[in-house]
Amino acid sequence: MQDTKKIVSIAIAAIGLLALPLLLQSQGNAWVRIADIALLYVLLALGLNIVVGYAGLLDLGYVAFFAIGAYMFALLGSPHLTDTFPAMKAMFPNGMHSSLLLIIPAAFGLAALFGVLLGAPTLKLRGDYLAIVTLGFGEIIRVFLNNLDHPFNLTNGPKGITAIDPVHFWGLNLGKAFKIGSYSISSVSLYYYLFLALVLITILISHRLQLSRIGRAWMAIREDEIAAKAMGINTRNMKLLAFGMGASFGGVSGAMFAAFQGFVSPESFSLMESVMIVAMVVLGGIGHLPGVILGAVLLAALPEVLRYVAAPLQAMTDGRLDASILRQLFIALAMIIIMLVRPRGLWPTPEHGKSLQRKGAPPAPVPGSTQAHAPGVPTPADEIAGEASRPMSINP
Amino acid sequence: MDILLQQIINGLVLGSMYALIALGYTMVYGIINLINFAHGEVLMVGALTSWTIIGWMQTAMPGTPGWIILIIALIIACVVAATLNFTIEKVAYRPLRNSPKLAPLITAIGMSILLQTIAMIIWKPTNKAYPNLLSTTPIQVGGAVISPTQVMILSVTAFCLVVLMWLVNYTKLGRAMRATAENPRVAALMGIRPDMVISATFIIGAVLAAVAGVMYASNYGIAQHAMGFIPGLKAFTAAVFGGIGNLAGAVVGGILLGLIEAIGSGYIGALTGDILGSHYSDIFAFIVLIIMLTLRPSGLLGERVADRA
């Protein structure tokens, strides 16, 4: 009974997600674009959730990995390199139009490499020191992107790289509308499906990681690093793995962003973006997948929607409250109010810590009379009935 | 040699402004373990308030000497900034004092965006020319020049530091602040009201930030809604550099950072054969910080704090 209900609700959600762009498309492609951007942010937030949510390492420079992915795609998929360097022109006379199947693993790998590079010198740092170093790393990457048009033109400086190829694979070009008979699916909707697929894969990976030995090790490090070490966890490797895994999702998401926009410039990768991604993770419910997704969708999409509703308000205040100001105002108020009302996020993990008493749960057992038991271990016969039904979880 | 002397002067001026801002960060962090992301915006509000006051006084009372206008504007800016920071703490941080560590950080970031937005609405998102109220004749020191504004910045900073050191080390409030930073619960048992001490800390931090904001605006001759962000970031770096939570560390970190930036951007072009130019100056701070923290994870003067994070 429970299972059929679950299957039905999943099916409804799936149909809803698949039909969404087709419905939005009839209202104008701008709406589908908003959905696309929201999905990209979900991808970023899920990646950051591995670092911040699972391993508890506060990363304020996450957008650097996004930038690395985006610039990698921009260089591989635009005429910029072949135009600038004659040697490249000789190697690829027709330009490098790299395929998606090459780009996703490459972005994944490159960003992971940078993640480990960032992680290695910061292993000893904790908490806020780590936050400021990662923040600095993000700024360093941005400044380099901004200035590497000299002495050799790699990133084209603040002007950014234009004319990036759209995603194409198996003969399908996502830059053009896809026609089935007389019905056409617009380019942005095709991107929607691609991003949706990537998000689903990421959710799957995150979910499996969370339940795995690695995920438990991360959470142990988050709760108490010294204790985790004492339990035999190799904290160094686990932290590097968290940085690498988190960064790689950022890189893939960046590559998709570059293909989707067709244009990248250092402006898109400011510190504010990193901060927004952290805000998405924390607002939604740190370390909890549905919460993180909710936070990302909320912060990414709602202000954009608001932008379209804002026009009359703007007219009323003779231009002082224009759309972008209103959007910022909304984001800021949302961040403050949500945190004040729900400090653990909108949709936090159901159980947190050991000392937390659930509402309606039986009173705490007398010390020594019952011990909490590990999942999968059969309940001893003398266990208090109510206590046994309480699900155990290592989740926060 | 002259260039070096000039860069040292510039570095000291920049560094003393960083030091003033960093003190605000480090005091707040020392007491409630929070990175007050909105601190740079308090600086911005101070600078823009003083800009408004200066403009108003120049039209209402023409002929008043520049330094009087500057002092009045500075005092009003301090009062506004202090009120603002007091309110921010009360509204956005106090209710979250016992929540998960990241919650107040997010409200702080939210506050920072909110203040910038409100400043954009009040003052419009344009660059404003900040008037130079002191004489512009430069003073010759050795082979280098120093402007009266820079002299003012150095002396005001020195004055602020002396007052702050006296306040922290020789007054009842200062003792209460140090006790609360050491251990809030025990301090409360000794009859100190932590809420009052925390409010006082935010007010002092805001006054220092407002002073720094006015100095910053008069040094660069420009003020706008996003001006607080970069100095705020650098000053926070300086605070971490010196060992966060440590007042002397913030001052040393700030001044060192200013010197590194000024000297670094003056010489990097020559050192690397023009491959890296002075437009990389913004990242010196971070590169030095990363190297520094790798070698000494608790900052220059920071004591080894057992995992409070």
Side-chain angles (χ1 to χ4, degrees), chain A residues 307 310 314 321-331, chain B residues 117 120 125:
Chain A
R307 196 196 287 261
Q314 189 181 347
L321 266 182
D322 73 1
S324 65
I325 292 189
L326 206 64
R327 176 172 181 267
Q328 267 198 35
L329 198 66
F330 177 78
I331 290 180
Chain B
T117 318
M120 259 199 274

Side-chain angles (χ1 to χ4, degrees), chain B residues 135-183:
Chain B
S135 93
T136 46
T137 358
I139 304 159
Q140 296 283 335
V141 185
V145 288
I146 181 167
S147 73
T149 310
Q150 290 179 317
V151 175
M152 171 196 75
I153 292 174
L154 290 177
S155 38
V156 169
T157 306
F159 174 74
C160 286
L161 291 185
V162 170
V163 171
L164 185 72
M165 288 304 157
W166 169 77
L167 193 73
V168 170
N169 289 325
Y170 297 100
T171 62
K172 212 171 168 184
L173 175 66
R175 209 181 316 144
M177 282 168 67
R178 281 180 288 141
T180 313
E182 197 73 37
N183 189 332

